[in-house]
Amino acid sequence: MEIEIAQSYGFCFGVKRAIKIAEEHPGSSTLGPLIHNNMEIERLKRDFNVSLATNLDDIGAGQATVIRTHGIPKNDLKKLKEKGGEVIDATCPFVTKPQQIVEKMSEEGYDIVIFGDANHPEIKGVMSYATGPVYAVLNVEELKTISLKERVAVVAQTTRKIEEYNKIINYLVPHHKEVRVFNTICNATFENQDAARELARRADVMIVIGGKQSSNTKQLHTICREYCPDSYHIESKDELKKEWFEGKKLCGVTAGASTPEWIIEEIIGKIREFKV
Ligand code: F3S
C-alpha cells in the first residue's frame, strides 16, 4: 500500500508561533491548553517546564503566563494582569482580529452574530469583547430563534467551513437593513482542507491526525469522510488498527493545524510496520 501525505497539512502559522513563544519562556504557565494537542503540551512540560493552568486560580502571583492561541476572555486577561506576572500573548493574530472587530462593531451599536461554537475557547474569548448583544450560532436554525436589531455585524470562528458561513450570511442579508460581514476564517484552514479534499478523492483510506478536541481536525475528518468513507480521526499511533489498511492501495494522511511533525512521523512509521 502506498502512503501519501496531503500537499498542505499540520502546523499552521499561529501554532508554530505559539510553540516558539512558549519555548522561549521556560518555567511559564499557559492559561488553558496552549494548543489543542495533549502530546505536544506534555512535551512542552517535559522539555521546557511550561505548565498548564486550568483556571486563573492556578496561577500564582507574579507567575509568567503565556496566553493560548485561541485567546482568553477579556475579563480573564484583566485579572491575569492584576496578578503582577509577565503576560506573554501567544493569541493567534487571526483570532485577535475577530476580537477587535467584535469590540469595534459592538461599540458602534451593531448586534453581533458569531458563526461558531459558544463552548469553544476561541469563541468564548471573541464574545467577551462585545459590549452589547452578541450571539454565537452554529446554523441558520439557531439564527432564526434570535431577535436581532436592523444593524448586524457577523464574524466566523477561524476554523469554520466557508460554505456553512455563506448560509448564515445568505439568511441575514435579506432580513436586515445593514449586515456587515467579515471573513475571519483562517487561510491555513482552507489550505489544509483543500489539500485533504483532493487527496481523499483518490485515497482508499484516510488517516486524519490531531487532538480529539481540535475543531479544525474534526472539520478535516468531516471533509475526508465525504470523499473517502474509510476516514479515521486519531490522536496517536496506538489507535491504529491493521484491518483499516487491508486490501487498500492508497492511504492518505493529513493532520490538523496543531499536530506536530513528530506525531505524524510516528503514525506513518506504524502504518508502514503493518506491511499491508
Ligand atoms: Fe491561527 Fe489559523 Fe492556526 S487561526 S492558530 S493560523 S488555524
Side-chain angles (χ1 to χ4, degrees):
M1 181 185 69
E2 195 190 328
I3 299 173
E4 185 175 327
I5 307 175
Q7 286 288 330
S8 172
Y9 67 94
F11 269 2
C12 59
F13 146 81
V15 166
K16 275 188 201 147
R17 178 176 168 273
I19 288 173
K20 187 162 174 283
I21 290 172
E23 288 178 349
E24 286 167 357
H25 292 85
S28 59
S29 290
T30 65
L31 181 54
L34 184 70
I35 59 171
H36 269 150
N37 192 292
N38 293 334
M39 291 163 82
E40 181 66 2
I41 285 166
E42 281 164 22
R43 187 192 68 87
L44 286 171
K45 172 74 187 149
R46 190 182 63 234
D47 298 350
F48 295 89
N49 193 28
V50 173
S51 55
L52 168 63
T54 44
N55 59 60
L56 272 170
D57 296 335
D58 293 344
I59 294 173
Q63 167 68 41
T65 307
V66 179
I67 297 179
R68 56 196 301 185
T69 45
H70 304 102
I72 58 173
K74 196 176 178 182
N75 208 28
D76 286 358
L77 181 60
K78 183 169 167 274
K79 287 185 192 156
L80 192 58
K81 287 182 176 165
E82 285 166 3
K83 286 183 182 264
E86 187 186 0
V87 176
I88 307 123
D89 193 1
T91 308
C92 176
F94 296 130
V95 174
T96 309
K97 193 169 113 193
Q99 291 176 345
Q100 291 167 340
I101 292 169
V102 164
E103 186 166 41
K104 181 167 180 286
M105 300 313 290
S106 193
E107 277 167 6
E108 289 181 18
Y110 289 81
D111 277 1
I112 308 293
V113 171
I114 302 172
F115 171 44
D117 178 358
N119 295 315
H120 191 283
E122 175 191 325
I123 299 308
K124 285 184 187 166
V126 172
M127 287 181 90
S128 74
Y129 280 80
T131 48
V134 56
Y135 308 92
V137 296
L138 283 169
N139 49 49
V140 171
E141 292 316 305
E142 283 182 25
L143 196 54
K144 284 179 183 167
T145 65
I146 299 167
S147 158
L148 293 163
K149 289 202 295 275
E150 290 194 331
R151 298 166 77 216
V152 178
V154 52
V155 297
Q157 188 171 355
T158 50
T159 47
R160 290 283 147 184
K161 286 208 281 194
I162 190 77
E163 295 83 0
E164 299 299 313
Y165 190 32
N166 284 340
K167 289 182 192 164
I168 301 285
I169 297 162
N170 288 341
Y171 177 81
L172 283 172
V173 171
H175 287 87
H176 298 277
K177 283 254 177 316
E178 186 182 348
V179 181
R180 300 285 301 272
V181 177
F182 297 87
N183 183 0
T184 50
I185 296 176
C186 164
N187 273 345
T189 311
F190 287 143
E191 285 161 15
N192 283 2
Q193 287 179 354
D194 287 349
R197 190 176 290 116
E198 190 280 322
L199 182 54
R201 278 200 180 103
R202 296 181 287 114
D204 308 301
V205 53
M206 279 296 296
I207 300 299
V208 183
I209 309 167
K212 292 282 158 71
Q213 303 305 317
S214 158
S215 165
N216 77 84
T217 312
K218 285 192 253 179
Q219 297 278 358
L220 280 179
H221 184 217
T222 306
I223 289 170
C224 289
R225 247 190 346 216
E226 273 174 38
Y227 297 93
C228 174
D230 286 339
S231 294
Y232 302 94
H233 174 181
I234 62 166
E235 203 166 337
S236 82
K237 63 180 178 7
D238 303 330
E239 293 165 76
L240 288 168
K241 292 195 173 72
K242 189 177 178 186
E243 58 262 32
W244 295 348
F245 307 98
E246 278 161 353
K248 307 286 201 247
K249 286 197 176 70
L250 177 62
C251 167
V253 176
T254 183
S258 44
T259 311
E261 198 63 33
W262 63 270
I263 294 180
I264 300 166
E265 280 168 16
E266 265 187 11
I267 287 172
I268 291 176
K270 172 107 183 249
I271 298 172
R272 289 198 206 286
E273 277 172 28
F274 288 142
K275 293 196 185 350
V276 283

